[in-house]
Amino acid sequence: MCTGKCSKCIGISLYPLALLSIICNIFLFFPDLQTTYAKEAAEGLYRLTDEIKLMGGVVGGGILVLIPAIHIHSTGRQGCCGNRCGMFLSVIFAAVGVAGALYSGTLSVIALIYGPVCRLENGDWIRPFMNSTPSYLGESEIWSTCTEPENIVEFNIGLFSALLVAACLELLLCGFQVLNGLFGCICGTCSHKEVA
């Protein structure tokens, strides 16, 4: 496959992953699909994990991948970006995408390891699984430790896992685009009307 067409495919593939990352991160602000916890967190109460507030899905897996995806996609077209210079720029943009995917993926892994913030039976809001051994992920019988928000453990595991998968795919695609862009910069984009 020609480097220009490959860039176009990579760019198109990055769009839904960036959108998925943004949507998952936004949903994480509303456990139990309630706005109460986000409002209380905004007031300084400990209701959401720091990984949610750092917005790895919106900033890292979302914006820092979406902007490169637009340029990478445009390098696959004939015209202003479908040339050696455009392919070189796609390498730089893809590197930004790699950084964004790493940011999102790292926060997702940390959130999965430490677990959610939830209310215990005694009324305290803490991260009860933060130092648990073995990991709480495989011990579903202890998830009932969290009394509020309802099903918070499953909610966090599902959304942070989706963020992690999206980040891994974004990392692979952007990493491949770095190689594709370097090859396209050296050899050209295979377009008939290539501009030097």
Side-chain angles (χ1 to χ4, degrees):
M1 182 186 288
C2 143
T3 57
K5 288 181 183 175
C6 187
S7 292
K8 189 174 182 180
C9 291
I10 290 171
I12 290 170
S13 301
L14 287 171
Y15 293 137
L17 294 172
L19 185 62
L20 174 67
S21 295
I22 291 169
I23 290 170
C24 285
N25 201 153
I26 290 170
F27 270 112
L28 282 164
F29 278 98
F30 307 106
D32 205 14
L33 301 179
Q34 305 264 341
T35 59
T36 312
Y37 307 107
K39 287 178 185 174
E40 290 174 349
E43 294 168 2
L45 298 174
Y46 191 57
R47 300 294 186 259
L48 299 173
T49 66
D50 293 333
E51 294 80 27
I52 295 170
K53 293 183 245 178
L54 291 172
M55 300 202 320
V58 172
V59 176
I63 295 168
L64 289 179
V65 170
L66 189 59
I67 293 169
I70 292 167
H71 182 78
I72 291 167
H73 181 204
S74 68
T75 59
R77 295 189 214 143
Q78 289 183 352
C80 65
C81 296
N83 55 39
R84 292 174 196 263
C85 180
M87 290 303 277
F88 176 73
L89 288 173
S90 80
V91 172
I92 296 168
F93 278 104
V96 171
V98 166
L102 283 172
Y103 178 66
S104 179
T106 302
L107 287 178
S108 298
V109 168
I110 292 169
L112 286 169
I113 291 170
Y114 290 166
V117 170
C118 65
R119 184 179 180 190
L120 305 180
E121 289 180 5
N122 64 8
D124 290 343
W125 285 85
I126 62 168
R127 288 181 108 163
F129 311 117
M130 191 167 190
N131 298 314
S132 65
T133 311
S135 173
Y136 75 98
L137 293 169
E139 305 286 332
S140 59
E141 60 275 0
I142 64 170
W143 294 355
S144 60
T145 304
C146 292
T147 59
E148 186 185 348
E150 191 176 342
N151 300 320
I152 186 63
V153 179
E154 296 92 331
F155 184 78
N156 268 29
I157 290 173
L159 290 174
F160 276 116
S161 295
L163 273 172
L164 181 59
V165 169
C168 289
L169 291 172
E170 289 170 342
L171 186 62
L172 285 172
L173 288 169
C174 288
F176 188 72
Q177 178 56 31
V178 168
L179 298 175
N180 181 56
L182 287 172
F183 190 71
C185 185
I186 295 166
C187 301
T189 60
C190 310
S191 63
H192 298 294
K193 297 178 182 178
E194 185 176 324
V195 182

